[in-house]
Amino acid sequence: MSATLESLIEALRCLPGVGPKSAQRMAYHLLQHDREGAARLGFALDSAINRIQHCERCNTYTETSVCDRCQSDRRDTSVLCVVETPVDLNMVEQTQAYNGLYYVLMGRISPLDGFGPRNLRLEQLVARASDGLVKEVILATNFTNEGEATAHFVSELLKRQGLKVSRIARGVPVGGELEFVDSGTLAQALRERRRLES
Amino acid sequence: MRPVKVERQAAFVLHSRPYRETSLVVEAITRDYGRMALVAKGVRRPRSAMRGVLMGFQPLEITWSGKGDVVTLHNAEWQGGQPLLQGRALLCGYYLNELLINLLPREDAHEQLFEHYSTTLQTLSASETHDAAFFSAALRRFEKRLLGELGYGLMLAHDTSGQPIAADIRYLYEMESGPRIIADSSASAGTISGQTLLDMDAESFDNPVTLIESKQLMRSLMAFYLNGRQLHSRRLFEELADL
């Protein structure tokens, strides 16, 4: 096997879930059946690596030093929503129920995997949340143990800066019938019930 | 010989890691089969029924089949009744899991330890309003019983010469041997008071000095048995304290 082909196969293995066999299949496929696609892939990867960076304010991916959302003057600068990933950010955006700004952690704290606070850019979050305009930080990390651990650490960190911190609510989903809701969710919804004001 | 299929076994997930595209390898502690590894196929798919169930610190009943080092998980059902761990309690839970993963050999049944782990989680989950001392006491109790179950039980009632521990004497706790009386009775580093040993024996951690000294003793014991392995959860506690 040529050295170039070998290094292509080796390079493809960096993708999650791709072992030596799949990498070899991909390499042969690209070379035999889709050279044009391979060229596009190579170009797209090259330009993505060179042009996509983290937004200086919200840490999400952007081609400019500050992303369009953070530059927009139609956003409410008094609330900052903290999410784990850009995908989570998109989900919150889709709700059209939130008009504030974001901070993307690009990960979560997972103690047993050795992934701790030092692996997240938390100094940048503290600086962002302390801009004087942010009045409330909403923690929208996942409701998994890792998401909770992350929320706990981040809330302790931000509360020490004198910031007001809140956590998104959890419970029975919209349109959810109790009969079909999983019992863990229902149990938590009962514990975190709220009083109806008269 | 282990049965090929085991149904509805009481268990807790200790840790899980992604495996292939849509699966997980789950490290769990079970009541009758001890710590084991299970492959949970397809559970990372969005609509998998087990997706939200295989969460750490929650009482489950699991069904698996297979022989060998890694068996196949077929079903997991949430047993309920326990709030999710939050805040400091959650970090304590991670610490317990890390101890079990590092110290408990696989497939060694420890029913008592399982029960105690379960009770400790309940204590932690019901403790939103408690202070740091409450959590420390819960961890010390668990550590003590864990060492006992592993066959490294602490010697807390007698010293190395067989004499009963006296509350007002200071001792040096020697690894795998026990407390030895020291001539110099001042509270020098690494020594422990007889009172602390007696309190630990009785699992009574109300005295603040007992809490501090037992923590130091347990820390050196754990370091000894962990044999150089570092605990990530402890580092997280320290990072939190450094804020």
Side-chain angles (χ1 to χ4, degrees):
Chain A
M1 193 184 289
S2 88
T4 313
L5 183 52
E6 231 169 279
S7 75
L8 172 61
I9 293 171
E10 191 51 41
L12 286 166
R13 288 186 58 188
C14 74
L15 290 164
V18 175
K21 277 269 169 58
S22 323
Q24 192 173 327
R25 248 196 322 271
M26 286 178 186
Y28 282 134
H29 174 84
L30 290 172
L31 291 172
Q32 274 170 356
H33 305 294
D34 202 357
R35 284 184 168 248
E36 201 182 308
R40 267 204 313 276
L41 179 63
F43 180 73
L45 278 174
D46 193 54
S47 50
I49 290 304
N50 284 314
R51 283 154 65 179
I52 297 179
Q53 49 183 320
H54 291 282
C55 170
E56 281 170 14
R57 288 170 65 75
C58 73
N59 201 34
T60 198
Y61 297 124
T62 171
E63 289 192 38
T64 47
S65 57
V66 174
C67 73
D68 292 347
R69 193 177 293 107
C70 288
Q71 286 190 43
S72 165
D73 54 7
R74 286 157 59 189
R75 287 276 172 168
D76 180 355
T77 54
S78 70
V79 274
L80 187 71
C81 180
V82 177
V83 292
E84 291 181 14
T85 65
V87 176
D88 296 337
L89 184 156
N90 291 340
M91 291 307 292
V92 178
E93 275 295 282
Q94 273 178 32
T95 65
Q96 299 191 19
Y98 179 73
N99 192 38
L101 291 164
Y102 294 89
Y103 187 84
V104 185
L105 294 169
M106 294 288 173
R108 71 209 64 146
I109 294 173
S110 180
L112 299 194
D113 296 308
F115 203 89
R118 66 204 163 278
N119 300 102
L120 304 171
R121 296 185 190 177
L122 294 180
E123 326 74 52
Q124 195 185 323
L125 167 60
V126 171
R128 172 67 187 87
S130 315
D131 69 350
L133 299 171
V134 174
K135 298 272 179 295
E136 181 186 0
V137 179
I138 304 171
L139 300 180
T141 54
N142 287 337
F143 278 113
T144 56
N145 288 318
E146 286 70 32
E148 278 295 305
T150 310
H152 176 62
F153 195 93
V154 170
S155 73
E156 291 297 310
L157 179 68
L158 295 177
K159 279 193 265 180
R160 278 170 175 71
Q161 312 292 321
L163 287 154
K164 191 178 142 200
V165 184
S166 55
R167 180 88 169 102
I168 53 167
R170 64 184 141 191
V172 179
V174 172
E177 297 166 66
L178 296 199
E179 186 182 348
F180 301 110
V181 169
D182 73 282
S183 36
T185 302
L186 190 52
Q188 208 66 29
L190 279 167
R191 274 186 212 103
E192 294 178 17
R193 66 187 180 273
R194 64 192 167 85
R195 196 194 177 108
L196 298 176
E197 301 304 331
S198 53
Chain B
M1 198 60 197
R2 207 168 64 185
V4 173
K5 183 163 191 186
V6 175
E7 297 195 41
R8 308 200 63 165
Q9 174 69 209
F12 286 93
V13 170
L14 296 174
H15 185 50
S16 53
R17 58 173 200 275
Y19 175 64
R20 299 209 172 136
E21 275 294 274
T22 59
S23 304
L24 283 179
V25 173
V26 178
E27 195 73 49
I29 182 170
T30 61
R31 177 184 288 140
D32 302 327
Y33 298 85
R35 182 167 78 88
M36 53 194 298
L38 307 105
V39 174
K41 286 179 186 151
V43 295
R44 282 160 63 217
R45 291 204 177 95
R47 304 218 174 270
S48 161
M50 276 196 277
R51 193 182 161 95
V53 178
L54 291 172
M55 242 173 103
F57 315 120
Q58 292 296 306
L60 305 178
E61 274 189 1
I62 62 174
T63 297
W64 72 81
S65 70
K67 286 187 286 188
D69 288 344
V70 184
V71 300
T72 307
L73 180 73
H74 293 296
N75 191 28
E77 276 179 55
W78 190 69
Q79 294 306 297
Q82 187 165 299
L84 300 175
L85 296 186
Q86 289 178 341
R88 200 177 179 83
L90 177 59
L91 302 191
C92 290
Y94 276 121
Y95 176 70
L96 302 184
N97 286 7
E98 216 172 359
L99 286 182
L100 290 174
I101 288 169
N102 280 292
L103 295 175
L104 190 64
R106 277 213 182 130
E107 292 169 52
D108 228 4
H110 289 277
E111 200 184 318
Q112 295 275 328
L113 183 63
F114 181 86
E115 293 302 335
H116 189 57
Y117 174 73
S118 170
T119 319
T120 307
L121 289 183
Q122 272 171 31
T123 311
L124 292 174
S125 72
S127 62
E128 277 167 43
T129 55
H130 288 292
D131 56 3
F134 176 88
F135 291 112
S136 293
L139 295 184
R140 296 300 87 78
R141 258 180 227 116
F142 182 80
E143 289 165 336
K144 181 188 164 212
R145 296 192 190 186
L146 171 65
L147 291 180
E149 280 281 328
L150 294 172
Y152 308 139
L154 300 186
M155 201 155 97
L156 298 167
H158 294 88
D159 67 18
T160 45
S161 65
Q163 294 299 309
I165 296 294
D168 53 354
I169 297 183
R170 292 199 73 81
Y171 298 84
L172 183 72
Y173 199 98
E174 293 179 335
M175 295 298 140
E176 297 194 305
S177 156
R180 180 168 59 80
I181 296 185
I182 46 168
D184 178 13
S185 62
S186 59
S188 54
T191 69
I192 190 163
S193 75
Q195 186 59 53
T196 296
L197 293 170
L198 294 171
D199 284 346
M200 286 176 74
D201 197 35
E203 298 192 359
S204 149
F205 296 94
D206 297 333
N207 183 342
V209 177
T210 300
L211 218 45
I212 294 169
E213 289 193 345
S214 59
K215 182 176 183 173
Q216 288 163 351
L217 174 60
M218 279 302 186
R219 185 172 278 219
S220 50
L221 282 163
M222 290 300 164
F224 177 77
Y225 292 114
L226 285 167
N227 202 9
R229 282 166 291 183
Q230 298 295 314
L231 296 180
H232 298 299
S233 50
R234 182 175 291 153
R235 183 161 176 196
L236 190 56
F237 273 118
E238 289 163 0
E239 283 168 317
L240 201 56
D242 287 346
L243 285 180

